[in-house]
Each structure stands twice: as structure tokens, then as C-alpha cells.
Amino acid sequence: MTPAQLRALPGWTETPEGEATALCRMGAERWARPGGSLLEVGKSCLGPMLIVSGQVQLLFEVADFGMPLAVLGPGDWLSVDSAHHTHMSSLSARALTEAKAFQVPREQIEQVRQRPSPTGLRLLRAMLAAQVKLDANLAPHVAAWMRQLAAKRKLTKQDLLDLGMSKLVASTTVTAEQAVKDGRAVEVVTHEGAPIAASFRQIR
Amino acid sequence: MPSQPALATVVRPSDADFSASIRILFADVAVSDVELAQIAARLWRCKLEAGEVLLGHGEPAQACYIISEGLGRLEFRDPQGQVTAISAVRPGELVGEAALAGLDSYAGDVLAGSDLTALVMNRKDYLTLEQQMPAAALHLMGAASAQTSRRERAWTTKITGAAQVALGVEVHAEPTAEPDEPGPSVLGRLFARISGNKEEP
């Protein structure tokens, strides 16, 4: 990511050139094709990611079921919690379009926290704002699940569907259909473990 | 949001409730006495009775609160007006992170679950802290971020557990404790080397 690209992102337009340059040196770029994943449930993440371009869907996933939480775009952050610990990720993020993200390793964040600077304040403020927004996205889902769990000790598959979960293969097909041109039909042909990657082929 | 009385109770670093709550809030970081004094100097104390609203969804984010005594609860109110408590707020926890993050309004409701005392930092005082002692401001933001991460993780863990049971998925216990010495990642080692960190073995 270049300083100019950073300064074009929402929330970063006022960043002084020097700070933008310093921030761009802190991390590395990551790319994902439509349907590809930037973050996977059960895998640890090196550090938070700032979305530079494209759209990314944040999902809650269990086995082959998923529940979309939010669609993130340029200027939004992913996996801010990985700045604080090495736990496995509890959410996944899949690109809806070709997406580019800028990942800042946990160790860099730790250095920022130890050496106060305007850059560090700007970075942490942006990540905290992203967490507050994620909280707001999670809250209605959490409330619905808590109400359901208070009413029933054990949920059924139908309860999960009622709570907004769906078979991941369905959402992958939708993603694939959006990615291919001319409205051609698609068929999901490979599953990579429980979460389904964007492996599909156009049916000609 | 409680308004600041003209003669608000000041907070001193030696106050027992400040020390106890700050010890929990900054459990993972070393904060110097000077930084603590600067934080305390910008706090005032407010007391609420059970059921009173500390901050409300959509209200201007003018202050953050460190709970020092009592219990609070984070609530979600759906468009139909149904209210669900989604998290408990305990002493040493910071709420109203939106004020630190520079957001316009709060994203949720926090109410006093019992009689509650909170240490309040107004947004303008936080901004002066950023200018005068950025290290202390970074500690506050870092602690708020880490705490928010823990809350989100608790939510997703609970939902995951319920969904796994419903789907009959075999549950693998995830290690909850951090490794003793979590080694830096490959990318982290590379950046440490580029930035000239000689502590790398």
C-alpha cells in the first residue's frame, strides 16, 4: 500500500504524508479473489487488516453453516482482536469482489503501543472505532441467540436457520454467480474443509 | 448520560476504588505512576442507582466510564422495543469506548444493574490527555480495545458452542491460555529485522 492509497481511504484523508509513509511501512499487502478468504475460523491471524479495496463479507461460521454479519469495504478493519492475542479466529472474512487488505503484524502494534506517537494514536483510534462498529453489528445477533438460548436449552438445526444461519455452499454459489460475467450458471466443485473456498467453475 | 456536577468528586491516584479498577483495566500493561496521575486528574466520580442509564444507544459519545464499584449491563434494544442484556459490566471495565475512538455516538445501552460508581473521563479531557501524555492515552485505548476483543470473543464462543451442539459437531477444546512465550510470526520477525530490532535472536 502506498501513502497515497492510504490517504484516499475513508478516515485517513487527513493523515499527514509522514505519518502515512510510516504506517505503510508497518505491514504488508494481502489479496483475495472473489470468494477467497482473508480470515478463517480456527486459524490464528498475524494481525489486524485494513481493507484497501474491494468488498469483504464478515461471517460467523460453524461447520458448513455461516451467518453473514457485515459487508466491509475500503477503510474498514478486520481481525482487530488479533492485535491483542494469538487465539484462533472466531470469525471468517471472505472477499465478495477482488479485495486488497493491508495487514499490520501484532508485533508492530505492540511496538506502536510502547512508543507513543501521533501515528500510533491514529492507528489505535481507527482500530478501536472498527471494534465499536463490529460490536454494533454483533449485538442484534447476540441478543437473538441469547433470547433463543434462554428459551431452549438445546437448539436445533431449524433454530439455527431461524437465527440467520445458512448452508455455506449456498452463499458460495451466490458469490460465484456475482463473480462470473454474463449471468452464466456456476457450480461449486471443491470444498476446502468445513469453510468453502471460492472454488468454482463457469458452466459454459 | 449523567451530567458532571459543579463540585464533582475528584479522583486521586491513591483512592482505593481507582487503584483497584485501574489494576484490572491495565492488567496486561505496565503504566507508570506519572501516567496514572495524569489519568486520575482527568476523572470524576459519578454514582447511579440500580436501573439508571449510564449511556444510551445513539447518544453523543461525550465521555468514557471506568466502572469502579457495582455491576452494570450492556443491553440491546431491537426495533420492536424488546430489550436483551447481552453482557455484564464489572468493576475495572471501560464502557463508552466510542468517546475514545472519536465516534459521534454510543453503539449500545449500558445500565446500572446494581448501585454503581463509575469514574468518568469527558471526551475533551481525553483529548488533552492525548496531547499532554500520549503514552497514557495509548494505554487507555489499548486497554479498551483488548477488553472489547474479550467481550466479542465471549459472544462468539457462546454462539459457536450452541451451534456446534445443534449441528452435532465434535467440539475440540481450544487452548484458552496464551503460550508461555508466544514467538513472533514470520512477518513480525521480518519487520523486526527491517526496523533494526537487535533483540531478535
Side-chain angles (χ1 to χ4, degrees):
Chain A
M1 184 176 64
T2 64
Q5 284 173 327
L6 176 68
R7 293 172 73 192
L9 295 176
W12 297 90
T13 50
E14 307 290 319
T15 314
E17 182 71 32
E19 279 188 41
T21 306
L23 276 166
C24 291
R25 285 184 186 145
M26 285 185 188
E29 284 181 359
R30 287 193 57 183
W31 295 80
R33 289 181 175 171
S37 80
L38 284 165
L39 183 66
E40 286 189 46
V41 170
K43 292 191 177 171
S44 65
C45 184
L46 295 177
M49 285 176 268
L50 172 66
I51 299 171
V52 180
S53 65
Q55 286 196 316
V56 177
Q57 187 164 54
L58 193 63
L59 293 153
F60 169 75
E61 286 185 11
V62 175
D64 57 346
F65 277 73
M67 181 170 70
L69 297 173
V71 175
L72 308 176
D76 289 328
W77 285 84
L78 274 174
S79 189
V80 174
D81 58 338
S82 63
H84 303 290
H85 53 66
T86 53
H87 289 309
M88 307 300 179
S89 174
S90 53
L91 297 176
S92 69
R94 297 185 181 280
L96 294 174
T97 64
E98 190 156 299
K100 183 167 88 168
F102 179 72
Q103 187 166 39
V104 185
R106 187 178 306 112
E107 294 81 357
Q108 284 288 316
I109 309 267
E110 195 51 44
Q111 287 190 14
V112 162
R113 287 178 69 176
Q114 287 166 8
R115 295 178 202 157
S117 67
T119 312
L121 283 166
R122 195 181 290 274
L123 182 65
L124 281 195
R125 195 182 302 123
M127 293 196 307
L128 183 58
Q131 285 182 296
V132 173
K133 287 178 191 166
L134 175 60
D135 260 18
N137 279 318
L138 276 173
H141 296 288
V142 174
W145 280 76
M146 293 227 177
R147 280 198 299 271
Q148 191 71 290
L149 285 169
K152 292 173 84 171
R153 185 171 289 247
K154 187 182 172 189
L155 304 185
T156 61
K157 205 175 272 189
Q158 184 58 45
D159 291 328
L160 301 192
L161 297 173
D162 293 343
L163 284 164
M165 294 196 91
S166 58
K167 278 268 195 185
L168 273 170
V169 68
S171 60
T172 305
T173 307
V174 171
T175 304
E177 282 169 351
Q178 287 168 348
V180 299
K181 290 175 183 163
D182 307 328
R184 286 176 176 154
V186 296
E187 176 193 4
V188 177
V189 290
T190 60
H191 294 194
E192 289 184 2
I196 298 158
S199 304
F200 55 85
R201 69 173 176 222
Q202 295 182 45
I203 300 172
R204 296 179 189 279
Chain B
M1 179 191 138
S3 55
Q4 183 171 4
L7 294 172
T9 323
V10 293
V11 177
R12 294 183 182 81
S14 55
D15 290 350
D17 61 343
F18 174 79
S19 306
S21 46
I22 264 333
R23 207 177 302 129
I24 298 168
L25 183 64
F26 294 136
D28 303 330
V29 286
V31 185
S32 72
D33 290 344
V34 179
E35 289 162 359
L36 288 180
Q38 288 286 333
I39 291 170
R42 287 167 176 80
L43 293 170
W44 56 278
R45 207 173 260 109
C46 84
K47 290 179 183 290
L48 281 85
E49 290 180 6
E52 280 191 278
V53 178
L54 184 62
L55 57 92
H57 176 264
E59 281 181 8
Q62 291 174 348
C64 67
Y65 304 83
I66 301 166
I67 308 301
S68 62
E69 285 171 17
L71 283 174
R73 62 175 184 269
L74 179 57
E75 291 185 346
F76 174 75
R77 185 183 298 269
D78 67 19
Q80 289 74 41
Q82 190 171 11
V83 177
T84 311
I86 53 176
S87 193
V89 184
R90 298 180 177 82
E93 290 190 30
L94 187 148
V95 292
E97 306 91 332
L100 303 183
L103 297 172
D104 294 333
S105 56
Y106 298 119
D109 297 319
V110 178
L111 284 85
S114 66
D115 289 354
L116 179 146
T117 306
L119 308 175
V120 190
M121 186 180 288
N122 295 332
R123 187 173 182 152
K124 62 179 171 42
D125 293 323
Y126 171 73
L127 293 175
T128 60
L129 182 71
E130 273 196 358
Q131 289 170 355
Q132 293 172 4
M133 185 148 286
L138 272 174
H139 286 318
L140 264 183
M141 259 199 292
S145 176
Q147 197 178 271
T148 308
S149 292
R150 283 195 290 272
R151 182 169 60 232
E152 286 166 0
R153 188 159 193 89
W155 286 343
T156 52
T157 302
K158 185 161 189 165
I159 293 177
T160 303
Q164 282 174 331
V165 171
L167 294 171
V169 176
E170 195 178 339
V171 182
H172 299 286
E174 188 190 323
T176 50
E178 298 275 318
D180 290 337
E181 287 291 333
S185 59
V186 174
L187 205 55
R189 282 201 299 275
L190 175 66
F191 280 100
R193 207 161 60 231
I194 291 169
S195 62
N197 187 347
K198 303 295 181 194
E199 290 170 17
E200 274 301 302

